[in-house]
Amino acid sequence: MSVVSAPLLSFVVAFFSILWLIKGKALRVLDYPNSRSLHAVPVPRIGGIGLMCGVLTAWILFSAVLPVSVWVGISLLLVISLIDDIWSLPIWCRLLIHSLAAAGFSTMLLLDMYGWVAVFLTSIVIVWMSNLYNFMDGSDGLAGGMTVIGFGYYGLFALFSGHNEFAMINFSIAAAAMAFLLYNFYPARIFMGDVGAIPLGFLAAVLGILGWIDGLWSLWLPLLIFSPFIMDSTVTLIKRGLRGKKIWQAHCEHYYQRVLRSGLGHRNTALLSYILMLAVGASAMWAAYQDSSVQYWISVIWSGIYLTLMLVSDRYQRHYSSKE
């Protein structure tokens, strides 16, 4: 029953919390447009508070069983991200807290079985996932849609495997994100902000790892489900680094930003992204029940698709720039 009730509660709490953030004045933090922005007017930017209120309320009232390190990590990230949304903290300060949250989770869950090397590598992955989720939160409906679809697939897989508790945990996130998406789909009335994107990226990583530890799936499954975000951010930042640019500085070179600026706009960019996310997730769900060779080839096929899409985008960008 909690598989239905908890997500419903999460949706309702998130819906009205976000509405209060839009209408109220007490926590009105605006995102003003600049040269890198994809919006033209100031928009409230801490909608993630309402989203996470829905998630945490459902988890607490339905007694979600999660490691203490997850609760501590989320709390740290919520606090530091809200402060950053309001006052813009230096990057070293943010990364320090992100690293502490990631290291705490990795140490408690992996140290005894896998050792310090695994703890170190896993912490890097979690910090990267937290931040790339934030990098991809730059177009109306994009990060919200990825949250609905990504955690929805986590929940479905857990449900089909008979892990109702873990399904409830993930469905509650997807439901809160759906409430947020009602306000964030183009034209957005509120943005997620770091206070939503950073904790969601953290949860995408740690719940993927917890599912692996519990024997629900192989590690490739969460990587494939969230691969639209992972591939875009990782390739974009590597290319910027190779050109000698500071990878932590805000920019508008992500592939989704190029698609938006090509003339498709926020709405069509989001819808195309949803189609991609749904297709990737569905193939991951199907391949998870096949043998390892099928899973390998699914990963190869999607790698080829991403490479093709990026090459086409790069070629279009060069052609467009040469005409300016």
Side-chain angles (χ1 to χ4, degrees), residues 42-261:
V43 177
R45 68 175 179 186
I46 53 173
I49 292 179
L51 191 159
M52 293 307 300
C53 277
V55 173
L56 295 177
T57 299
W59 283 1
I60 291 169
L61 293 183
F62 285 86
S63 304
V65 178
L66 285 166
V68 173
S69 56
V70 176
W71 293 99
V72 173
I74 292 173
S75 300
L76 286 173
L77 295 176
L78 282 172
V79 171
I80 196 68
S81 299
L82 178 59
I83 294 172
D84 183 49
D85 277 331
I86 297 173
W87 289 295
S88 249
L89 295 173
I91 184 143
W92 68 264
C93 182
R94 287 176 279 153
L95 285 179
L96 175 62
I97 302 302
H98 299 174
S99 300
L100 287 174
F105 171 83
S106 301
T107 301
M108 290 186 66
L109 270 292
L110 302 175
L111 180 58
D112 290 342
M113 273 192 297
Y114 301 102
W116 284 109
V117 173
V119 169
F120 176 72
L121 293 176
T122 303
S123 298
I124 291 175
V125 170
I126 294 171
V127 171
W128 177 235
M129 190 69 189
S130 302
N131 282 276
L132 74 82
Y133 219 97
N134 190 35
F135 299 153
M136 296 297 288
D137 179 31
S139 177
D140 294 356
L142 188 62
M146 182 75 237
T147 305
V148 174
I149 295 167
F151 289 97
Y153 275 126
Y154 275 7
L156 283 174
F157 201 93
L159 188 65
F160 294 159
S161 302
H163 290 251
N164 290 356
E165 171 80 10
F166 201 59
M168 178 271 287
I169 288 168
N170 284 285
F171 283 148
S172 295
I173 301 173
M178 179 59 75
F180 170 75
L181 198 56
L182 295 177
Y183 297 109
N184 181 248
F185 195 73
Y186 183 80
R189 298 172 61 191
I190 194 167
F191 294 153
M192 186 180 292
D194 284 21
V195 73
I198 296 293
L200 286 174
F202 174 80
L203 287 171
V206 301
L207 292 180
I209 293 167
L210 286 174
W212 168 65
I213 290 173
D214 291 341
L216 281 176
W217 49 61
S218 301
L219 280 176
W220 70 270
L221 185 134
L223 289 172
L224 186 56
I225 286 176
F226 283 96
S227 61
F229 272 25
I230 294 170
M231 291 298 293
D232 189 325
S233 285
T234 302
V235 172
T236 300
L237 271 293
I238 288 174
K239 288 170 65 177
R240 283 179 61 81
L242 291 174
R243 295 200 305 272
K245 295 187 176 182
K246 296 178 180 179
I247 63 173
W248 57 86
Q249 286 186 341
H251 60 89
C252 53
E253 296 179 15
H254 284 287
Y255 285 94
Y256 79 87
Q257 292 170 324
R258 295 185 189 182
V259 171
L260 193 157
R261 291 178 181 273

